[in-house]
Amino acid sequence: MSVEPIATPPGPWCPDPIRQQRADYTLEDLLNLPDDAPRVELVDGVVQVTPSPTLGHQDISFLLRLWLHTHAPRDLRAAQDVGVELTVNTSRRPDVLLCRAEVPSDRSLVRPDDVVLAVEIVSPGTRRVDRFAKPGEYAAAGIPFYWRIEQDPVHLYAYRRGERLGPPRRAESGSLTSSRP
């Protein structure tokens, strides 16, 4: 009987530290990530792992997607957790989005001109980015509408892209209420 070492599989995927430091990841790299890669966004060439959402966050996301699916015009489709190409080295993954219905179903990354609405549900770890960075990024990419949903209590802030480049103007806000049977 012989003893041979058991091959240990490599650890889970993580970004190359040298490429992270150089900030030279591109959208092409995102499309070629291995199957075991975590949920990520690409920001100015740096891969950022996004935290797993909470159950409450997922409840809001699901109910909003269902509502949009039911009420949006037929030429639009509601989706969850799909990447949006903002620039050659930046992509974001809105929690919910409305995109043009003709976008092929096999896409995991869509162009900003296919997106009508991007929605972010604010979590403790994403407050600053969801409130300050993402509205301007989505507007600069040409996405006409951005909704930010705050939790506890649930509150919706709706923004519309203005004629000038820069952060979108706050259009209106309102409280969301939910009734459960």
Side-chain angles (χ1 to χ4, degrees):
M1 175 155 121
S2 67
V3 177
E4 293 182 25
I6 298 173
T8 57
W13 179 88
C14 65
D16 179 329
I18 306 248
R19 291 195 70 191
Q20 286 285 85
Q21 189 173 19
R22 290 192 321 232
D24 71 352
Y25 278 101
T26 65
L27 293 175
E28 177 96 11
D29 294 316
L30 281 191
L31 295 173
N32 295 316
L33 289 178
D35 292 339
D36 70 338
R39 181 178 184 246
V40 298
E41 291 182 330
L42 181 66
V43 181
D44 296 326
V46 175
V47 175
Q48 296 181 348
V49 176
T50 58
S52 295
T54 63
L55 287 173
H57 183 283
Q58 291 289 67
D59 288 344
I60 294 168
S61 178
F62 170 77
L63 290 171
L64 179 60
R65 188 214 169 265
L66 183 62
W67 189 89
L68 288 170
H69 173 76
T70 305
H71 293 89
R74 293 283 173 226
D75 61 335
L76 298 175
R77 73 192 300 173
Q80 288 175 269
D81 196 30
V82 175
V84 179
E85 306 173 7
L86 298 180
T87 68
V88 69
N89 67 353
T90 299
S91 76
R92 293 292 192 176
R93 296 181 75 86
D95 294 305
V96 178
L97 62 80
L98 269 180
C99 67
R100 303 195 191 292
E102 68 265 11
V103 174
S105 294
D106 65 346
R107 297 282 167 86
S108 60
L109 200 59
V110 296
R111 297 180 326 223
D113 56 328
D114 288 326
V115 178
V116 175
L117 167 68
V119 181
E120 296 289 352
I121 300 164
V122 178
S123 296
T126 65
R127 281 188 185 115
R128 182 175 301 277
V129 172
D130 290 346
R131 290 176 182 164
F132 302 108
K134 288 183 179 180
E137 290 173 358
Y138 290 138
I143 297 172
F145 298 97
Y146 173 70
W147 290 358
R148 185 185 87 232
I149 298 177
E150 299 283 340
Q151 301 184 61
D152 198 24
V154 175
H155 199 84
L156 168 69
Y157 294 89
Y159 299 85
R160 181 181 57 231
R161 183 174 183 262
E163 273 63 45
R164 62 182 172 75
L165 197 60
R169 298 184 324 246
R170 186 165 132 192
E172 60 184 82
S173 68
S175 293
L176 295 177
T177 57
S178 164
S179 60
R180 298 194 119 179

